[in-house]
Amino acid sequence: MLDNELDAHAETDISEYTQLTQVQVSLDDAAEAFTKRDASGRIPIIVVPKQLNRVRNEIVLAALFILAFGTVGGIFINNAMMIAIAVPIGLLLLVLGVYRSFVVRIPEGVSALLMRGGRYVKTIGAGTHFVPPWVLISHLVTRREIPFDVPLVQAPTKDNVRANIDTLMTFRIVDPYQFVYNISA
């Protein structure tokens, strides 16, 4: 091959080469996502939550259904017992559906980026946190060391001889916000 063909071949290999991946899963499955390999054998370094809204809509809707039909049905059939049962059950389900949205569990070895109104608020570490539902978790970023195999590159030496360079680097993400919004996978 000619030098120009070698350069074009090297550029194609580099542009098609990716090792750093991100996946989109629910927040509850994030811990498992950081341990599973994808189809190409890579472990993701970023997890994007599928559903940003953490309020359990099905529980809240069930609570509102029980409250509405229990009280309206009790009034129409003049049954105070129906209202007395529907109101506490509906309120309990409503509290459970909304309370769950305030508690966030971040897996060990991961940092989470918090957003409010589309703007970055702060980064939180692993553990159980009390986060209001209007503050969204936009990304989960691993804090482990990441091996990165730099693709094989042909570089000319001083005396114009082509040398193949294969490099393995390891890095750790220190600032998740900068990595996600300035570098990213």
Side-chain angles (χ1 to χ4, degrees):
M1 282 200 278
L2 299 171
D3 286 341
N4 291 340
E5 290 175 356
L6 287 172
D7 291 338
H9 182 67
E11 287 176 17
T12 318
D13 289 344
I14 293 171
S15 63
E16 295 175 1
Y17 188 82
T18 57
Q19 270 186 307
L20 307 177
T21 61
Q22 70 181 26
V23 294
Q24 190 171 18
V25 298
S26 69
L27 195 56
D28 296 332
D29 299 333
E32 187 177 332
F34 279 111
T35 62
K36 284 190 174 179
R37 296 187 181 274
D38 65 0
S40 58
R42 298 173 297 210
I43 295 177
I45 58 172
I46 296 177
V47 169
V48 179
K50 267 188 181 174
Q51 181 181 2
L52 296 177
N53 179 16
R54 295 186 313 270
V55 175
R56 300 293 305 257
N57 292 332
E58 62 277 359
I59 296 175
V60 172
L61 287 175
L64 294 176
F65 180 79
I66 290 171
L67 279 172
F69 287 106
T71 53
V72 171
I75 291 171
F76 277 127
I77 61 172
N78 200 16
N79 186 352
M81 184 64 134
M82 186 175 186
I83 297 172
I85 292 173
V87 170
I89 291 174
L91 290 176
L92 179 68
L93 285 175
L94 187 65
V95 168
L96 288 175
V98 174
Y99 170 76
R100 173 73 172 93
S101 68
F102 281 89
V103 178
V104 175
R105 289 179 182 84
I106 307 299
E108 188 63 36
V110 175
S111 296
L113 300 179
L114 301 181
M115 307 287 279
R116 181 175 178 193
R119 302 190 97 176
Y120 171 76
V121 176
K122 69 178 180 176
T123 302
I124 58 174
T128 303
H129 300 276
F130 186 78
V131 179
W134 53 87
V135 176
L136 305 175
I137 296 175
S138 65
H139 296 84
L140 298 171
V141 182
T142 187
R143 291 188 307 216
R144 65 180 169 80
E145 284 191 357
I146 302 156
F148 182 75
D149 188 18
V150 179
L152 185 67
V153 177
Q154 290 190 354
T157 61
K158 186 177 181 181
D159 51 349
N160 205 20
V161 175
R162 294 281 178 176
N164 291 334
I165 303 170
D166 191 11
T167 310
L168 177 67
M169 299 178 357
T170 58
F171 66 93
R172 190 170 54 91
I173 300 169
V174 178
D175 187 352
Y177 172 76
Q178 292 294 327
F179 182 79
V180 168
Y181 291 105
N182 292 335
I183 300 170
S184 191

PDB file of all heavy atoms in Angstrom, residues 121-159:
ATOM      1  N   VAL A 121     -27.147  20.853  38.632  1.00  0.00           N
ATOM      2  CA  VAL A 121     -27.227  21.326  40.009  1.00  0.00           C
ATOM      3  C   VAL A 121     -25.990  20.895  40.789  1.00  0.00           C
ATOM      4  O   VAL A 121     -25.262  21.724  41.325  1.00  0.00           O
ATOM      5  CB  VAL A 121     -28.510  20.807  40.709  1.00  0.00           C
ATOM      6  CG1 VAL A 121     -28.546  21.227  42.163  1.00  0.00           C
ATOM      7  CG2 VAL A 121     -29.743  21.266  39.979  1.00  0.00           C
ATOM      8  N   LYS A 122     -25.777  19.576  40.856  1.00  0.00           N
ATOM      9  CA  LYS A 122     -24.611  19.054  41.565  1.00  0.00           C
ATOM     10  C   LYS A 122     -24.425  17.579  41.258  1.00  0.00           C
ATOM     11  O   LYS A 122     -25.244  16.957  40.598  1.00  0.00           O
ATOM     12  CB  LYS A 122     -24.734  19.269  43.076  1.00  0.00           C
ATOM     13  CG  LYS A 122     -25.808  18.439  43.749  1.00  0.00           C
ATOM     14  CD  LYS A 122     -25.811  18.689  45.242  1.00  0.00           C
ATOM     15  CE  LYS A 122     -26.876  17.853  45.924  1.00  0.00           C
ATOM     16  NZ  LYS A 122     -26.830  17.996  47.362  1.00  0.00           N
ATOM     17  N   THR A 123     -23.322  17.045  41.767  1.00  0.00           N
ATOM     18  CA  THR A 123     -23.008  15.623  41.622  1.00  0.00           C
ATOM     19  C   THR A 123     -23.101  14.984  42.997  1.00  0.00           C
ATOM     20  O   THR A 123     -22.589  15.541  43.974  1.00  0.00           O
ATOM     21  CB  THR A 123     -21.579  15.441  41.069  1.00  0.00           C
ATOM     22  OG1 THR A 123     -21.493  16.108  39.811  1.00  0.00           O
ATOM     23  CG2 THR A 123     -21.250  13.985  40.885  1.00  0.00           C
ATOM     24  N   ILE A 124     -23.760  13.831  43.078  1.00  0.00           N
ATOM     25  CA  ILE A 124     -23.839  13.106  44.344  1.00  0.00           C
ATOM     26  C   ILE A 124     -23.169  11.748  44.182  1.00  0.00           C
ATOM     27  O   ILE A 124     -23.103  11.210  43.083  1.00  0.00           O
ATOM     28  CB  ILE A 124     -25.298  12.953  44.836  1.00  0.00           C
ATOM     29  CG1 ILE A 124     -26.173  12.231  43.806  1.00  0.00           C
ATOM     30  CG2 ILE A 124     -25.887  14.291  45.205  1.00  0.00           C
ATOM     31  CD1 ILE A 124     -27.577  11.925  44.287  1.00  0.00           C
ATOM     32  N   GLY A 125     -22.680  11.223  45.290  1.00  0.00           N
ATOM     33  CA  GLY A 125     -21.994   9.940  45.277  1.00  0.00           C
ATOM     34  C   GLY A 125     -22.927   8.786  45.575  1.00  0.00           C
ATOM     35  O   GLY A 125     -24.151   8.928  45.609  1.00  0.00           O
ATOM     36  N   ALA A 126     -22.318   7.636  45.821  1.00  0.00           N
ATOM     37  CA  ALA A 126     -23.086   6.415  46.075  1.00  0.00           C
ATOM     38  C   ALA A 126     -23.829   6.506  47.402  1.00  0.00           C
ATOM     39  O   ALA A 126     -23.428   7.221  48.307  1.00  0.00           O
ATOM     40  CB  ALA A 126     -22.145   5.220  46.087  1.00  0.00           C
ATOM     41  N   GLY A 127     -24.929   5.751  47.490  1.00  0.00           N
ATOM     42  CA  GLY A 127     -25.705   5.690  48.720  1.00  0.00           C
ATOM     43  C   GLY A 127     -27.154   6.051  48.480  1.00  0.00           C
ATOM     44  O   GLY A 127     -27.600   6.258  47.357  1.00  0.00           O
ATOM     45  N   THR A 128     -27.905   6.144  49.572  1.00  0.00           N
ATOM     46  CA  THR A 128     -29.312   6.518  49.518  1.00  0.00           C
ATOM     47  C   THR A 128     -29.420   8.008  49.808  1.00  0.00           C
ATOM     48  O   THR A 128     -28.915   8.485  50.818  1.00  0.00           O
ATOM     49  CB  THR A 128     -30.126   5.710  50.544  1.00  0.00           C
ATOM     50  OG1 THR A 128     -29.942   4.316  50.268  1.00  0.00           O
ATOM     51  CG2 THR A 128     -31.591   6.043  50.465  1.00  0.00           C
ATOM     52  N   HIS A 129     -30.085   8.722  48.915  1.00  0.00           N
ATOM     53  CA  HIS A 129     -30.191  10.177  49.034  1.00  0.00           C
ATOM     54  C   HIS A 129     -31.648  10.599  48.988  1.00  0.00           C
ATOM     55  O   HIS A 129     -32.485   9.941  48.377  1.00  0.00           O
ATOM     56  CB  HIS A 129     -29.440  10.864  47.888  1.00  0.00           C
ATOM     57  CG  HIS A 129     -27.987  10.547  47.853  1.00  0.00           C
ATOM     58  ND1 HIS A 129     -27.064  11.217  48.609  1.00  0.00           N
ATOM     59  CD2 HIS A 129     -27.289   9.615  47.164  1.00  0.00           C
ATOM     60  CE1 HIS A 129     -25.865  10.723  48.375  1.00  0.00           C
ATOM     61  NE2 HIS A 129     -25.974   9.742  47.501  1.00  0.00           N
ATOM     62  N   PHE A 130     -31.931  11.719  49.638  1.00  0.00           N
ATOM     63  CA  PHE A 130     -33.251  12.336  49.603  1.00  0.00           C
ATOM     64  C   PHE A 130     -33.190  13.444  48.549  1.00  0.00           C
ATOM     65  O   PHE A 130     -32.579  14.485  48.775  1.00  0.00           O
ATOM     66  CB  PHE A 130     -33.601  12.892  50.988  1.00  0.00           C
ATOM     67  CG  PHE A 130     -34.986  13.427  51.084  1.00  0.00           C
ATOM     68  CD1 PHE A 130     -36.059  12.571  51.222  1.00  0.00           C
ATOM     69  CD2 PHE A 130     -35.218  14.785  51.033  1.00  0.00           C
ATOM     70  CE1 PHE A 130     -37.344  13.062  51.315  1.00  0.00           C
ATOM     71  CE2 PHE A 130     -36.498  15.291  51.120  1.00  0.00           C
ATOM     72  CZ  PHE A 130     -37.561  14.430  51.266  1.00  0.00           C
ATOM     73  N   VAL A 131     -33.800  13.191  47.391  1.00  0.00           N
ATOM     74  CA  VAL A 131     -33.765  14.135  46.271  1.00  0.00           C
ATOM     75  C   VAL A 131     -35.203  14.421  45.856  1.00  0.00           C
ATOM     76  O   VAL A 131     -35.953  13.493  45.558  1.00  0.00           O
ATOM     77  CB  VAL A 131     -32.980  13.533  45.080  1.00  0.00           C
ATOM     78  CG1 VAL A 131     -32.964  14.489  43.899  1.00  0.00           C
ATOM     79  CG2 VAL A 131     -31.560  13.168  45.486  1.00  0.00           C
ATOM     80  N   PRO A 132     -35.606  15.696  45.830  1.00  0.00           N
ATOM     81  CA  PRO A 132     -36.978  16.015  45.412  1.00  0.00           C
ATOM     82  C   PRO A 132     -37.242  15.548  43.980  1.00  0.00           C
ATOM     83  O   PRO A 132     -36.327  15.508  43.156  1.00  0.00           O
ATOM     84  CB  PRO A 132     -37.038  17.546  45.488  1.00  0.00           C
ATOM     85  CG  PRO A 132     -35.817  17.977  46.193  1.00  0.00           C
ATOM     86  CD  PRO A 132     -34.832  16.874  46.175  1.00  0.00           C
ATOM     87  N   PRO A 133     -38.492  15.190  43.664  1.00  0.00           N
ATOM     88  CA  PRO A 133     -38.788  14.649  42.333  1.00  0.00           C
ATOM     89  C   PRO A 133     -38.578  15.645  41.195  1.00  0.00           C
ATOM     90  O   PRO A 133     -38.435  15.254  40.049  1.00  0.00           O
ATOM     91  CB  PRO A 133     -40.248  14.210  42.414  1.00  0.00           C
ATOM     92  CG  PRO A 133     -40.776  14.714  43.679  1.00  0.00           C
ATOM     93  CD  PRO A 133     -39.651  15.146  44.538  1.00  0.00           C
ATOM     94  N   TRP A 134     -38.574  16.945  41.463  1.00  0.00           N
ATOM     95  CA  TRP A 134     -38.359  17.927  40.409  1.00  0.00           C
ATOM     96  C   TRP A 134     -36.870  18.080  40.075  1.00  0.00           C
ATOM     97  O   TRP A 134     -36.523  18.724  39.108  1.00  0.00           O
ATOM     98  CB  TRP A 134     -38.967  19.278  40.766  1.00  0.00           C
ATOM     99  CG  TRP A 134     -38.535  19.811  42.082  1.00  0.00           C
ATOM    100  CD1 TRP A 134     -37.429  20.562  42.340  1.00  0.00           C
ATOM    101  CD2 TRP A 134     -39.198  19.640  43.327  1.00  0.00           C
ATOM    102  NE1 TRP A 134     -37.360  20.866  43.669  1.00  0.00           N
ATOM    103  CE2 TRP A 134     -38.450  20.303  44.311  1.00  0.00           C
ATOM    104  CE3 TRP A 134     -40.365  18.983  43.726  1.00  0.00           C
ATOM    105  CZ2 TRP A 134     -38.803  20.328  45.637  1.00  0.00           C
ATOM    106  CZ3 TRP A 134     -40.713  19.018  45.053  1.00  0.00           C
ATOM    107  CH2 TRP A 134     -39.952  19.680  45.989  1.00  0.00           C
ATOM    108  N   VAL A 135     -35.995  17.452  40.866  1.00  0.00           N
ATOM    109  CA  VAL A 135     -34.568  17.393  40.550  1.00  0.00           C
ATOM    110  C   VAL A 135     -34.327  16.028  39.891  1.00  0.00           C
ATOM    111  O   VAL A 135     -34.542  14.992  40.501  1.00  0.00           O
ATOM    112  CB  VAL A 135     -33.695  17.561  41.810  1.00  0.00           C
ATOM    113  CG1 VAL A 135     -32.229  17.398  41.478  1.00  0.00           C
ATOM    114  CG2 VAL A 135     -33.961  18.903  42.468  1.00  0.00           C
ATOM    115  N   LEU A 136     -33.906  16.049  38.642  1.00  0.00           N
ATOM    116  CA  LEU A 136     -33.771  14.825  37.852  1.00  0.00           C
ATOM    117  C   LEU A 136     -32.340  14.294  37.894  1.00  0.00           C
ATOM    118  O   LEU A 136     -31.390  15.049  38.007  1.00  0.00           O
ATOM    119  CB  LEU A 136     -34.151  15.098  36.396  1.00  0.00           C
ATOM    120  CG  LEU A 136     -35.523  15.709  36.160  1.00  0.00           C
ATOM    121  CD1 LEU A 136     -35.701  16.028  34.688  1.00  0.00           C
ATOM    122  CD2 LEU A 136     -36.611  14.785  36.645  1.00  0.00           C
ATOM    123  N   ILE A 137     -32.221  12.986  37.768  1.00  0.00           N
ATOM    124  CA  ILE A 137     -30.908  12.359  37.632  1.00  0.00           C
ATOM    125  C   ILE A 137     -30.694  12.165  36.142  1.00  0.00           C
ATOM    126  O   ILE A 137     -31.400  11.397  35.492  1.00  0.00           O
ATOM    127  CB  ILE A 137     -30.855  11.015  38.384  1.00  0.00           C
ATOM    128  CG1 ILE A 137     -31.028  11.277  39.867  1.00  0.00           C
ATOM    129  CG2 ILE A 137     -29.551  10.298  38.091  1.00  0.00           C
ATOM    130  CD1 ILE A 137     -31.119  10.047  40.705  1.00  0.00           C
ATOM    131  N   SER A 138     -29.722  12.890  35.579  1.00  0.00           N
ATOM    132  CA  SER A 138     -29.520  12.842  34.132  1.00  0.00           C
ATOM    133  C   SER A 138     -28.548  11.741  33.717  1.00  0.00           C
ATOM    134  O   SER A 138     -28.747  11.114  32.685  1.00  0.00           O
ATOM    135  CB  SER A 138     -29.030  14.189  33.613  1.00  0.00           C
ATOM    136  OG  SER A 138     -27.752  14.481  34.125  1.00  0.00           O
ATOM    137  N   HIS A 139     -27.480  11.510  34.489  1.00  0.00           N
ATOM    138  CA  HIS A 139     -26.468  10.514  34.137  1.00  0.00           C
ATOM    139  C   HIS A 139     -25.908   9.871  35.398  1.00  0.00           C
ATOM    140  O   HIS A 139     -25.782  10.530  36.427  1.00  0.00           O
ATOM    141  CB  HIS A 139     -25.295  11.154  33.393  1.00  0.00           C
ATOM    142  CG  HIS A 139     -25.653  11.736  32.069  1.00  0.00           C
ATOM    143  ND1 HIS A 139     -26.169  13.006  31.946  1.00  0.00           N
ATOM    144  CD2 HIS A 139     -25.564  11.230  30.824  1.00  0.00           C
ATOM    145  CE1 HIS A 139     -26.382  13.246  30.671  1.00  0.00           C
ATOM    146  NE2 HIS A 139     -26.024  12.196  29.965  1.00  0.00           N
ATOM    147  N   LEU A 140     -25.553   8.612  35.282  1.00  0.00           N
ATOM    148  CA  LEU A 140     -24.778   7.912  36.302  1.00  0.00           C
ATOM    149  C   LEU A 140     -23.436   7.579  35.666  1.00  0.00           C
ATOM    150  O   LEU A 140     -23.388   7.007  34.582  1.00  0.00           O
ATOM    151  CB  LEU A 140     -25.483   6.631  36.748  1.00  0.00           C
ATOM    152  CG  LEU A 140     -26.854   6.814  37.394  1.00  0.00           C
ATOM    153  CD1 LEU A 140     -27.518   5.469  37.587  1.00  0.00           C
ATOM    154  CD2 LEU A 140     -26.730   7.526  38.709  1.00  0.00           C
ATOM    155  N   VAL A 141     -22.342   7.960  36.337  1.00  0.00           N
ATOM    156  CA  VAL A 141     -21.004   7.798  35.773  1.00  0.00           C
ATOM    157  C   VAL A 141     -20.163   6.958  36.728  1.00  0.00           C
ATOM    158  O   VAL A 141     -20.134   7.214  37.933  1.00  0.00           O
ATOM    159  CB  VAL A 141     -20.328   9.176  35.555  1.00  0.00           C
ATOM    160  CG1 VAL A 141     -18.958   9.013  34.932  1.00  0.00           C
ATOM    161  CG2 VAL A 141     -21.204  10.064  34.700  1.00  0.00           C
ATOM    162  N   THR A 142     -19.467   5.969  36.192  1.00  0.00           N
ATOM    163  CA  THR A 142     -18.636   5.095  37.010  1.00  0.00           C
ATOM    164  C   THR A 142     -17.409   5.843  37.537  1.00  0.00           C
ATOM    165  O   THR A 142     -16.919   6.775  36.895  1.00  0.00           O
ATOM    166  CB  THR A 142     -18.200   3.842  36.220  1.00  0.00           C
ATOM    167  OG1 THR A 142     -17.536   2.968  37.111  1.00  0.00           O
ATOM    168  CG2 THR A 142     -17.290   4.196  35.075  1.00  0.00           C
ATOM    169  N   ARG A 143     -16.930   5.413  38.707  1.00  0.00           N
ATOM    170  CA  ARG A 143     -15.706   5.994  39.279  1.00  0.00           C
ATOM    171  C   ARG A 143     -14.559   4.995  39.262  1.00  0.00           C
ATOM    172  O   ARG A 143     -13.493   5.280  39.776  1.00  0.00           O
ATOM    173  CB  ARG A 143     -15.974   6.440  40.724  1.00  0.00           C
ATOM    174  CG  ARG A 143     -16.901   7.616  40.803  1.00  0.00           C
ATOM    175  CD  ARG A 143     -16.989   8.133  42.209  1.00  0.00           C
ATOM    176  NE  ARG A 143     -17.324   7.068  43.133  1.00  0.00           N
ATOM    177  CZ  ARG A 143     -18.079   7.191  44.184  1.00  0.00           C
ATOM    178  NH1 ARG A 143     -18.608   8.342  44.462  1.00  0.00           N
ATOM    179  NH2 ARG A 143     -18.322   6.171  44.976  1.00  0.00           N
ATOM    180  N   ARG A 144     -14.758   3.847  38.655  1.00  0.00           N
ATOM    181  CA  ARG A 144     -13.694   2.840  38.617  1.00  0.00           C
ATOM    182  C   ARG A 144     -12.662   3.214  37.562  1.00  0.00           C
ATOM    183  O   ARG A 144     -12.896   4.067  36.719  1.00  0.00           O
ATOM    184  CB  ARG A 144     -14.267   1.458  38.332  1.00  0.00           C
ATOM    185  CG  ARG A 144     -14.885   1.324  36.974  1.00  0.00           C
ATOM    186  CD  ARG A 144     -15.438  -0.069  36.736  1.00  0.00           C
ATOM    187  NE  ARG A 144     -16.233  -0.103  35.543  1.00  0.00           N
ATOM    188  CZ  ARG A 144     -15.757  -0.183  34.308  1.00  0.00           C
ATOM    189  NH1 ARG A 144     -14.467  -0.251  34.114  1.00  0.00           N
ATOM    190  NH2 ARG A 144     -16.554  -0.187  33.266  1.00  0.00           N
ATOM    191  N   GLU A 145     -11.512   2.546  37.611  1.00  0.00           N
ATOM    192  CA  GLU A 145     -10.498   2.762  36.587  1.00  0.00           C
ATOM    193  C   GLU A 145     -10.946   2.072  35.305  1.00  0.00           C
ATOM    194  O   GLU A 145     -11.413   0.931  35.332  1.00  0.00           O
ATOM    195  CB  GLU A 145      -9.146   2.231  37.031  1.00  0.00           C
ATOM    196  CG  GLU A 145      -8.478   3.130  38.034  1.00  0.00           C
ATOM    197  CD  GLU A 145      -7.031   2.762  38.277  1.00  0.00           C
ATOM    198  OE1 GLU A 145      -6.549   1.762  37.702  1.00  0.00           O
ATOM    199  OE2 GLU A 145      -6.379   3.480  39.035  1.00  0.00           O
ATOM    200  N   ILE A 146     -10.771   2.744  34.204  1.00  0.00           N
ATOM    201  CA  ILE A 146     -11.262   2.255  32.922  1.00  0.00           C
ATOM    202  C   ILE A 146     -10.070   2.000  32.006  1.00  0.00           C
ATOM    203  O   ILE A 146      -9.312   2.920  31.710  1.00  0.00           O
ATOM    204  CB  ILE A 146     -12.197   3.292  32.274  1.00  0.00           C
ATOM    205  CG1 ILE A 146     -13.356   3.583  33.222  1.00  0.00           C
ATOM    206  CG2 ILE A 146     -12.685   2.828  30.915  1.00  0.00           C
ATOM    207  CD1 ILE A 146     -13.991   4.906  33.009  1.00  0.00           C
ATOM    208  N   PRO A 147      -9.894   0.756  31.563  1.00  0.00           N
ATOM    209  CA  PRO A 147      -8.840   0.503  30.581  1.00  0.00           C
ATOM    210  C   PRO A 147      -9.317   0.928  29.199  1.00  0.00           C
ATOM    211  O   PRO A 147     -10.457   0.674  28.826  1.00  0.00           O
ATOM    212  CB  PRO A 147      -8.631  -1.011  30.662  1.00  0.00           C
ATOM    213  CG  PRO A 147      -9.925  -1.531  31.161  1.00  0.00           C
ATOM    214  CD  PRO A 147     -10.540  -0.462  32.010  1.00  0.00           C
ATOM    215  N   PHE A 148      -8.466   1.578  28.462  1.00  0.00           N
ATOM    216  CA  PHE A 148      -8.801   2.043  27.121  1.00  0.00           C
ATOM    217  C   PHE A 148      -7.674   1.653  26.187  1.00  0.00           C
ATOM    218  O   PHE A 148      -6.547   2.105  26.339  1.00  0.00           O
ATOM    219  CB  PHE A 148      -9.019   3.555  27.113  1.00  0.00           C
ATOM    220  CG  PHE A 148      -9.418   4.088  25.767  1.00  0.00           C
ATOM    221  CD1 PHE A 148     -10.696   3.895  25.284  1.00  0.00           C
ATOM    222  CD2 PHE A 148      -8.511   4.779  24.982  1.00  0.00           C
ATOM    223  CE1 PHE A 148     -11.072   4.386  24.043  1.00  0.00           C
ATOM    224  CE2 PHE A 148      -8.883   5.272  23.738  1.00  0.00           C
ATOM    225  CZ  PHE A 148     -10.161   5.076  23.278  1.00  0.00           C
ATOM    226  N   ASP A 149      -7.984   0.796  25.243  1.00  0.00           N
ATOM    227  CA  ASP A 149      -6.994   0.340  24.276  1.00  0.00           C
ATOM    228  C   ASP A 149      -7.018   1.285  23.090  1.00  0.00           C
ATOM    229  O   ASP A 149      -7.975   1.309  22.320  1.00  0.00           O
ATOM    230  CB  ASP A 149      -7.310  -1.093  23.832  1.00  0.00           C
ATOM    231  CG  ASP A 149      -6.207  -1.688  22.985  1.00  0.00           C
ATOM    232  OD1 ASP A 149      -5.076  -1.159  23.023  1.00  0.00           O
ATOM    233  OD2 ASP A 149      -6.473  -2.676  22.300  1.00  0.00           O
ATOM    234  N   VAL A 150      -5.972   2.083  22.968  1.00  0.00           N
ATOM    235  CA  VAL A 150      -5.872   3.029  21.865  1.00  0.00           C
ATOM    236  C   VAL A 150      -5.623   2.224  20.596  1.00  0.00           C
ATOM    237  O   VAL A 150      -4.801   1.313  20.587  1.00  0.00           O
ATOM    238  CB  VAL A 150      -4.720   4.036  22.118  1.00  0.00           C
ATOM    239  CG1 VAL A 150      -4.587   5.004  20.959  1.00  0.00           C
ATOM    240  CG2 VAL A 150      -4.955   4.779  23.421  1.00  0.00           C
ATOM    241  N   PRO A 151      -6.328   2.549  19.532  1.00  0.00           N
ATOM    242  CA  PRO A 151      -6.190   1.755  18.313  1.00  0.00           C
ATOM    243  C   PRO A 151      -4.776   1.810  17.743  1.00  0.00           C
ATOM    244  O   PRO A 151      -4.041   2.767  17.956  1.00  0.00           O
ATOM    245  CB  PRO A 151      -7.192   2.385  17.347  1.00  0.00           C
ATOM    246  CG  PRO A 151      -7.500   3.713  17.903  1.00  0.00           C
ATOM    247  CD  PRO A 151      -7.268   3.643  19.378  1.00  0.00           C
ATOM    248  N   LEU A 152      -4.453   0.788  17.000  1.00  0.00           N
ATOM    249  CA  LEU A 152      -3.152   0.675  16.361  1.00  0.00           C
ATOM    250  C   LEU A 152      -2.979   1.824  15.380  1.00  0.00           C
ATOM    251  O   LEU A 152      -3.821   2.063  14.531  1.00  0.00           O
ATOM    252  CB  LEU A 152      -3.052  -0.662  15.632  1.00  0.00           C
ATOM    253  CG  LEU A 152      -1.724  -0.996  14.998  1.00  0.00           C
ATOM    254  CD1 LEU A 152      -0.676  -1.211  16.090  1.00  0.00           C
ATOM    255  CD2 LEU A 152      -1.839  -2.247  14.159  1.00  0.00           C
ATOM    256  N   VAL A 153      -1.887   2.553  15.533  1.00  0.00           N
ATOM    257  CA  VAL A 153      -1.627   3.710  14.693  1.00  0.00           C
ATOM    258  C   VAL A 153      -0.275   3.532  14.020  1.00  0.00           C
ATOM    259  O   VAL A 153       0.692   3.141  14.666  1.00  0.00           O
ATOM    260  CB  VAL A 153      -1.627   5.011  15.532  1.00  0.00           C
ATOM    261  CG1 VAL A 153      -1.284   6.207  14.679  1.00  0.00           C
ATOM    262  CG2 VAL A 153      -2.965   5.202  16.200  1.00  0.00           C
ATOM    263  N   GLN A 154      -0.207   3.841  12.746  1.00  0.00           N
ATOM    264  CA  GLN A 154       1.069   3.829  12.043  1.00  0.00           C
ATOM    265  C   GLN A 154       1.596   5.251  12.016  1.00  0.00           C
ATOM    266  O   GLN A 154       0.929   6.150  11.519  1.00  0.00           O
ATOM    267  CB  GLN A 154       0.912   3.296  10.632  1.00  0.00           C
ATOM    268  CG  GLN A 154       0.615   1.827  10.602  1.00  0.00           C
ATOM    269  CD  GLN A 154       0.709   1.279   9.193  1.00  0.00           C
ATOM    270  OE1 GLN A 154       0.884   2.009   8.236  1.00  0.00           O
ATOM    271  NE2 GLN A 154       0.610  -0.031   9.087  1.00  0.00           N
ATOM    272  N   ALA A 155       2.783   5.430  12.537  1.00  0.00           N
ATOM    273  CA  ALA A 155       3.389   6.756  12.601  1.00  0.00           C
ATOM    274  C   ALA A 155       4.772   6.695  11.963  1.00  0.00           C
ATOM    275  O   ALA A 155       5.511   5.741  12.174  1.00  0.00           O
ATOM    276  CB  ALA A 155       3.501   7.212  14.044  1.00  0.00           C
ATOM    277  N   PRO A 156       5.108   7.735  11.202  1.00  0.00           N
ATOM    278  CA  PRO A 156       6.451   7.749  10.616  1.00  0.00           C
ATOM    279  C   PRO A 156       7.489   8.133  11.662  1.00  0.00           C
ATOM    280  O   PRO A 156       7.254   8.977  12.511  1.00  0.00           O
ATOM    281  CB  PRO A 156       6.342   8.808   9.522  1.00  0.00           C
ATOM    282  CG  PRO A 156       5.230   9.698   9.963  1.00  0.00           C
ATOM    283  CD  PRO A 156       4.289   8.845  10.762  1.00  0.00           C
ATOM    284  N   THR A 157       8.651   7.482  11.596  1.00  0.00           N
ATOM    285  CA  THR A 157       9.759   7.830  12.486  1.00  0.00           C
ATOM    286  C   THR A 157      10.585   8.929  11.834  1.00  0.00           C
ATOM    287  O   THR A 157      10.270   9.405  10.741  1.00  0.00           O
ATOM    288  CB  THR A 157      10.639   6.600  12.763  1.00  0.00           C
ATOM    289  OG1 THR A 157      11.178   6.153  11.512  1.00  0.00           O
ATOM    290  CG2 THR A 157       9.835   5.486  13.418  1.00  0.00           C
ATOM    291  N   LYS A 158      11.666   9.335  12.499  1.00  0.00           N
ATOM    292  CA  LYS A 158      12.519  10.401  11.999  1.00  0.00           C
ATOM    293  C   LYS A 158      13.126  10.043  10.639  1.00  0.00           C
ATOM    294  O   LYS A 158      13.256  10.898   9.762  1.00  0.00           O
ATOM    295  CB  LYS A 158      13.628  10.694  13.019  1.00  0.00           C
ATOM    296  CG  LYS A 158      14.482  11.887  12.672  1.00  0.00           C
ATOM    297  CD  LYS A 158      15.480  12.141  13.768  1.00  0.00           C
ATOM    298  CE  LYS A 158      16.331  13.353  13.419  1.00  0.00           C
ATOM    299  NZ  LYS A 158      17.331  13.609  14.458  1.00  0.00           N
ATOM    300  N   ASP A 159      13.460   8.776  10.454  1.00  0.00           N
ATOM    301  CA  ASP A 159      14.048   8.361   9.182  1.00  0.00           C
ATOM    302  C   ASP A 159      12.989   7.796   8.230  1.00  0.00           C
ATOM    303  O   ASP A 159      13.290   6.980   7.362  1.00  0.00           O
ATOM    304  CB  ASP A 159      15.200   7.380   9.405  1.00  0.00           C
ATOM    305  CG  ASP A 159      14.828   6.224  10.308  1.00  0.00           C
ATOM    306  OD1 ASP A 159      13.753   6.287  10.930  1.00  0.00           O
ATOM    307  OD2 ASP A 159      15.615   5.269  10.395  1.00  0.00           O
TER     308      ASP A 159
END
